[in-house]
């Protein structure tokens, strides 16, 4: 079946460290890929997305490239800040009948950034 | 533009009762999706509505149902509540066309005792 696998957390980094959160997927067809972020007590916010192979999504210093050959969509940031502390979710969509309203999420990776 | 609004924020119910959660999408958005978030299972898709029609349904029992009104507002209902239904229920809306992304509300925290 279709699924998303994320690296398990929690991940603890010092401020200004380099961040990588791994995400791989299994899907039939050509899904779109997303990274969402969830801050404590809030819903999910879209961080970035990519809709086809080799697309690079970027936002707020975060980047991820849609790699069809390795079925991956790893999230990276060159220099994290304390304010980046949150839970990050990788997701895919567009699998069922082309609808992008139903996402399949990974389990989430909690990131804590220490000053 | 106002975001996705979910009411109530918190809810405490007893086993066997039923509950109705409400979601108002972003103005102009015609698609509403619902998700259940729990520590054990993570985020799971419940259903999606578009123009008052259910477009997709996740793998949940029939106790979970939903509907969408002509103004795109949506409700989900859970009947005969079980302890395992305790979760954060998230609603998300999108314009419903092309690759438009989902915009999530802050959720309703349901506790079943």
């Amino acid at each position: 079946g279709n699924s998303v696998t994320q690296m398990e957390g929690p991940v603890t980094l010092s401020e200004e460290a380099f961040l990588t959160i791994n995400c791989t997927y299994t899907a039939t067809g050509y899904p779109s890929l997303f990274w969402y972020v969830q801050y404590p007590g809030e819903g999910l916010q879209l961080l970035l997305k990519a809709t086809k192979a080799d697309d690079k999504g970027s936002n707020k210093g975060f980047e991820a490239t849609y790699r069809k050959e390795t079925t991956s969509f790893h999230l990276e940031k060159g220099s994290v800040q304390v304010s980046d502390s949150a839970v990050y979710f990788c997701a895919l969509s567009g699998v069922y009948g082309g609808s992008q309203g139903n996402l399949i999420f990974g389990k989430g990776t909690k990131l804590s950034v220490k000053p | 533009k106002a975001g996705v609004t979910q009411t109530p924020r918190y809810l405490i119910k007893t086993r066997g009762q039923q509950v109705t959660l409400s979601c108002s999408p972003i103005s102009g958005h015609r698609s509403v999706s619902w998700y259940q978030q729990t520590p054990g299972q993570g985020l799971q898709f419940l259903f999606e509505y578009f123009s008052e029609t259910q477009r997709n349904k996740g793998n949940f029992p029939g106790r979970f149902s939903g509907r969408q009104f002509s103004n795109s507002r949506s409700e989900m209902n859970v009947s005969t509540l079980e302890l395992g239904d305790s979760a954060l229920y998230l609603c998300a809306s999108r314009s419903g066309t092309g690759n438009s992304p989902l915009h999530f509300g802050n959720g309703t925290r349901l506790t079943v005792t």
Side-chain angles (χ1 to χ4, degrees), chain A residues 71-83:
Chain A
T71 61
S72 65
F73 192 56
H74 304 321
L75 182 68
E76 296 182 336
K77 186 175 186 183
S79 176
V80 294
Q81 305 301 312
V82 172
S83 57

Side-chain angles (χ1 to χ4, degrees), chain A residues 37-103:
Chain A
V37 58
Q38 186 176 32
Y39 298 99
E42 298 183 10
L44 279 70
Q45 299 176 24
L46 177 65
L47 183 58
L48 53 84
K49 67 174 184 176
T51 57
K52 60 183 188 299
D54 299 326
D55 265 3
K56 177 187 278 189
S58 61
N59 185 27
K60 299 180 182 178
F62 291 90
E63 291 183 341
T65 301
Y66 189 161
R67 302 280 188 204
K68 197 169 189 303
E69 65 275 13
T70 54
T71 61
S72 65
F73 192 56
H74 304 321
L75 182 68
E76 296 182 336
K77 186 175 186 183
S79 176
V80 294
Q81 305 301 312
V82 172
S83 57
D84 293 327
S85 297
V87 181
Y88 292 81
F89 293 91
C90 183
L92 65 83
S93 79
V95 176
Y96 300 108
S99 169
Q100 303 218 1
N102 53 329
L103 299 179

